[in-house]
Amino acid sequence: MFALTFAQKLALSMISMVVLSAGLLGYPMVYRQFSLMDEQYNIMGTTLVNQLATNAIELVFVKDELKLGELVKNISEQTDVLSTVIVNKDQEVVTGSGIQPPQDWLFDELKTEHPGFALDNNNIGWFHQPISFDGVIGGVAWIGLDKTQLIENQRFILSSALTLVALMVLSIMLLAVRISRNLSKPILEIIDASEAIASGQLSFRMRGNYSGEFTAVKSAFNNMADGLEQKLTLEKNISRFVSSSVAEHYMSRDDNDLTLQGERVEASILFVDLVGYTNFSNKHSPEVIADVLNFYFTEFANTCHHFHGNVDKFIGDCAMLVFGCPIQDERHKQHALHCAVRIRDDIAALNKQRQEEELPWLDIRIGLASGVVLAGLLGSPERLNYSVVGDAANLAARLCDKAPSGQILTDRHFVDSLRASKNDIGISTHQTQQVHVKGFIDAIDTLVVDQVEITNET
């Protein structure tokens, strides 16, 4: 369906108003002018025919054709008189000057007995007046006036009015187009700017030079874009300090919702530790140490996010990864195990490559556990940190400390619960030893994860 632009709508509206105004104001004026011209024409014809009929009364009844001829001649000499004719009671032309009216009109009783006017096909107006005395009709006086010039004048007036209206319409159209362009330019830029913001181009700004209300619109839009860009920058920066899922979980909340009360959730916790970090740090500069830490931590974080987890914190040379909160995940155990296996295998391959390139490298060990933990904001009202606390977190940390280099150490409870679940996963493990962990009364039966049959990672 064809849609009019803003400029076209404005031009059409202004033209419609002009045409309507011209019609409402111009039509009565033209009609009045036409009426005055017709009225003058009729007055002139009626006056002349009355004069002729009055002066011819006696002459018609005494049949003085000579004086009737002089009377007709005198009237015929007046301007615009094309014909002057006197017909007797027998409908015979007694005398006349110029052309005669149509023959059938001469024998028309209505025209013979009553005064009136008729216009023939040649634009000649015929005025007729009975010549009577004491109710006795002796004949009819005819005056023919040329109406051609009057009609031409009326046509000229009408064409002039239409030309004037056309010029006004054209002028208004050009003015409307110019005005609409000036108005539509900021509107179109607002549309472009809105589409740019909607598509994520938060750096887009309105650049046009406007006046009036559009200046305020431009300022308001650019301020809004600045705020959105600053908010996005803040979110990006915050996501570098906390996990994206944590940032999204709390960014939409106000201060009243940021309480220090956590919630109990079932989650899986994974600790990844760099083996031999202390000895490594003693042999290398701080710059090299920082570069190596960033390299490994980046790998840990990327893999964690791939399996729907979040990085709880980096503690020295150790990373704490959490699955199942703040966004609930029914498959958090499976995702945590997949993440651990992926980190183990990827780091082994990367270390081999770094050795070949003679780059510094460190091996890893992983501790994995699950259970009910308290998840929420910890700290003080001035400085908060999202984390989880509980037996599962403590156990994962202790298992990481006891895990063999390059291996994943977990507890039998984690493996049994995962095998008992409906998740389609196969785990190959071997038992190591029962260890006593601080905070646990009974010894923990530990298992090293060998292989995992991954049929559906996500």
Side-chain angles (χ1 to χ4, degrees), residues 116-127:
F117 167 80
L119 184 67
D120 65 13
N121 295 330
N122 297 318
N123 291 329
I124 299 177
W126 293 96
F127 297 86

Side-chain angles (χ1 to χ4, degrees), residues 67-119:
K67 290 186 177 181
L68 283 174
E70 293 178 356
L71 177 61
V72 167
K73 181 181 179 181
N74 291 334
I75 294 179
S76 298
E77 292 176 350
Q78 298 191 36
T79 306
D80 295 329
V81 177
L82 297 180
S83 175
T84 305
V85 178
I86 294 179
V87 181
N88 60 22
K89 62 181 180 178
D90 297 325
Q91 298 176 338
E92 297 174 346
V93 176
V94 177
T95 184
S97 174
I99 62 176
Q100 296 183 2
Q103 292 296 317
D104 56 334
W105 291 6
L106 296 177
F107 302 101
D108 190 338
E109 293 183 358
L110 291 177
K111 293 180 173 57
T112 302
E113 298 176 358
H114 303 282
F117 167 80
L119 184 67

Side-chain angles (χ1 to χ4, degrees), residues 356-381:
E356 294 175 354
E357 298 175 358
E358 297 183 355
L359 296 175
W361 61 277
L362 291 170
D363 208 344
I364 63 168
R365 55 190 172 196
I366 301 173
L368 178 60
S370 67
V372 177
V373 295
L374 184 67
L377 297 176
L378 303 177
S380 68

